[in-house]
């Protein structure tokens, strides 16, 4: 019976390699646990109960973390690459009027800050709200 469980585990692992959805992996683990129980001489009802229990509960508790660990952040947005860079204010930023534009990364962007920033000032890109850059004025050095 141990060899049968090992064969089930190998088949599940091969299926996981073909499908890569991190689901058959848990069937393989459950089959290996059942194989260990069979090697210890425990009966088929214990093996089956353990197999089905592990195959059911392992994905519930572990799959989300494994998928998160192995999946990347995805494609970065155009604004993600601008965070931390300097930009030049091309239209005064005024939160009351809702105006403000900057040149960042060689492109024109709408910009927002909690205060006013004059044309020609340098700002740092802090983040983005959609396609509007969130900026902060760069402190000018005192002579």
């Amino acid at each position: 019976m141990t060899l049968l469980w090992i064969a089930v585990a190998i088949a599940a692992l091969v299926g996981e390699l073909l499908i890569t959805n991190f689901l058959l992996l848990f069937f393989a683990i459950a089959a290996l646990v059942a194989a260990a129980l069979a090697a210890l001489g425990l009966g088929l009802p214990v093996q089956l109960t353990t197999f089905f229990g592990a195959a059911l509960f392992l994905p519930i508790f572990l799959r989300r973390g494994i998928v998160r660990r192995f999946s990347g952040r995805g494609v970065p947005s155009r604004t993600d690459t601008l965070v931390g860079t300097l930009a030049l204010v091309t239209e005064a930023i005024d939160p009351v009027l809702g105006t403000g534009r900057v040149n960042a990364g060689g492109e024109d962007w709408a910009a927002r800050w909690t205060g006013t920033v004059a044309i020609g000032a340098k700002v740092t890109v802090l983040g983005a709200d959609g396609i509007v850059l969130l900026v902060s004025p760069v402190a000018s050095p005192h002579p």
Side-chain angles (χ1 to χ4, degrees):
M1 198 64 179
T2 303
L3 293 177
L4 178 64
W5 285 117
I6 292 174
V8 169
I10 291 171
L13 285 174
V14 169
E16 181 63 45
L17 290 173
L18 296 173
I19 298 172
T20 64
N21 65 358
F22 293 110
L23 191 58
L24 294 176
L25 172 68
F26 298 110
F27 282 93
I29 294 170
L32 290 175
V33 170
L37 294 176
L40 292 174
L42 296 174
L44 185 60
V46 173
Q47 295 169 33
L48 288 173
T49 302
T50 303
F51 173 76
F52 287 116
L56 176 67
F57 290 111
L58 284 174
I60 291 172
F61 294 113
L62 300 177
R63 185 173 185 274
R64 180 177 292 155
I66 289 175
V67 168
R68 188 178 303 129
R69 172 92 167 123
F70 286 104
S71 59
R73 280 191 62 221
V75 177
S77 72
R78 290 178 46 210
T79 57
D80 286 345
T81 60
L82 297 173
V83 173
T85 62
L86 289 178
L88 183 67
V89 177
T90 57
E91 178 185 333
I93 299 172
D94 188 335
V96 176
L97 298 174
T99 61
R101 298 201 73 79
V102 298
N103 186 307
E107 297 180 348
D108 181 57
W109 294 88
R112 189 169 63 216
W113 172 243
T114 57
T116 58
V117 183
I119 293 175
K122 289 187 178 181
V123 292
T124 302
V125 178
L126 302 175
D129 181 12
I131 59 169
V132 177
L133 297 182
L134 307 174
V135 298
S136 171
V138 174
S140 60
H142 297 286

